Amino acid sequence: MLGGTALTASAMRARTIVASASWRCGFRLRLDSQADVVTSSSVTHCATRGSASGVADNVAAVMVLDRRALNRALLARQLLLQRHDMPVADTLEHLVGLQAQEPLEPYVGLWSRLAGFQPPALAELLLSRRAVRTLLMRRTLHLVTARDCLALRPVHQAMLVSRMWSTLRRVLPGVGLDELARLGRPLFEERPRMLTEAARAIADRWPGVEPRSMGDALSTLVPLVQVPPRGVWGERGAAYNTTIETWLGRPLEPESPATVDALVLRYLAAYGPAASADIRAWSGRSGLRESVQRLRPSLRTFRDERGRELLDVPDGALPDPETPAPPRFLPAFDNAVLGYDDRSRVIDTEHRGLSVTGARFLLVDGRVVGTWAVTAEDGAATLQITPLRALTTPERDAVVAEGESLLTMFQPEPRRANRVMITDT
């Protein structure tokens, strides 16, 4: 029970969605499989405008959260307000994965979130098959734990096929999707293959169809993972794929209302407070309204300055908006930016387009203020920062210090000094 309101049966059946409370960043959300209740710590409220007396009856005046309050909530829940001493696997599950279109980008995402993170900690998970890269949210590659891969891929499968077909239908004339999947699956089960390699093996069935397009379709129709050494720090490897079930030795979990509800709750725990449109933008899924309605009695609500309803888990962190936020370097396509329909809590509207170009972002005071890139040459690494606005002297000093620390991951034993360069605006 929560404030006298019973959870829906589907929510009560959902598995634990955030593991061990020992590393919780100011909040705790757990669906207790034995007690069948939501357990929560005290709710910390943000002093913006209005007041809130808690979530007991969901009838209190709705608090309005301004952009800065939402920014600090994002930073806290994304583990960017301070670094955390947390296992990598737990971090991946808390964040519901890290986008991994570029196979090495998650290493920076973890470095910016975890105290003392070193690349071998993630590489070992990939090599031991405890973490994988597979198509998930928005039909993009995500790095997730093996457990989440088995649970999340079925939840997203219909969306993946729909998005694939809307993109490729014109270049797949006469191709039956069921038949393509039936012919392609055994090839990936036999051994890891590149997508085009598998497509060429069955190309005679559909003469004139480009293997590249057919391979792209196969990556969606057949639930696949990309196997190491691709994605392993310090290694290079082409994108070889095998089926999830072959690689992990376990079957995919069936989709159910409970698994969709758990996905929504996990999103809110790691990204909230957020609007329904934000959940859809992050996941790429449609049809989430039913889940939100099932969960609504257990959620608290706010409004943003535009008047949008924001949904939240009952005990999600809402830090003081004046909490200092240190500089952070985000990798390309980090969901801290991409995980919303309205991204104004972290990036200005005029720079929003950069978030889909693969730009790597610099956060100062919690907001995107620049882009960055690292190059390595002659035994040293150089971090080049391009600000989107002028940085104050204290900001520059803090950014340089953070950048010098970042370069130790790229070049831990330089033959000459690593460098941080900030382009003048």
Side-chain angles (χ1 to χ4, degrees), residues 8 35-36 45-46 87 187 214 220 252 285 326 328 366:
T8 62
D36 285 343
H45 289 296
C46 172
L187 298 173
M214 202 181 304
T220 295
L252 293 165
R285 277 188 53 114
R328 290 290 184 256

Side-chain angles (χ1 to χ4, degrees), residues 115-128:
F117 172 77
Q118 294 295 326
L122 173 56
E124 194 274 332
L125 290 181
L126 289 165
L127 292 169
S128 63

Side-chain angles (χ1 to χ4, degrees), residues 7-18:
L7 282 174
T8 62
S10 59
M12 290 191 290
R13 288 194 298 270
R15 69 173 175 81
T16 297
I17 62 176
V18 179

Side-chain angles (χ1 to χ4, degrees), residues 100-107 119 122-127 131-133 143 226-240:
Q101 291 290 104
E102 298 293 335
L104 300 182
E105 295 297 312
Y107 290 87
L122 173 56
E124 194 274 332
L125 290 181
L126 289 165
L127 292 169
V132 297
R133 295 169 59 248
L143 170 72
Q226 289 190 4
V227 302
R230 191 167 179 84
V232 174
W233 189 262
E235 301 287 342
R236 289 189 175 186
Y240 282 86

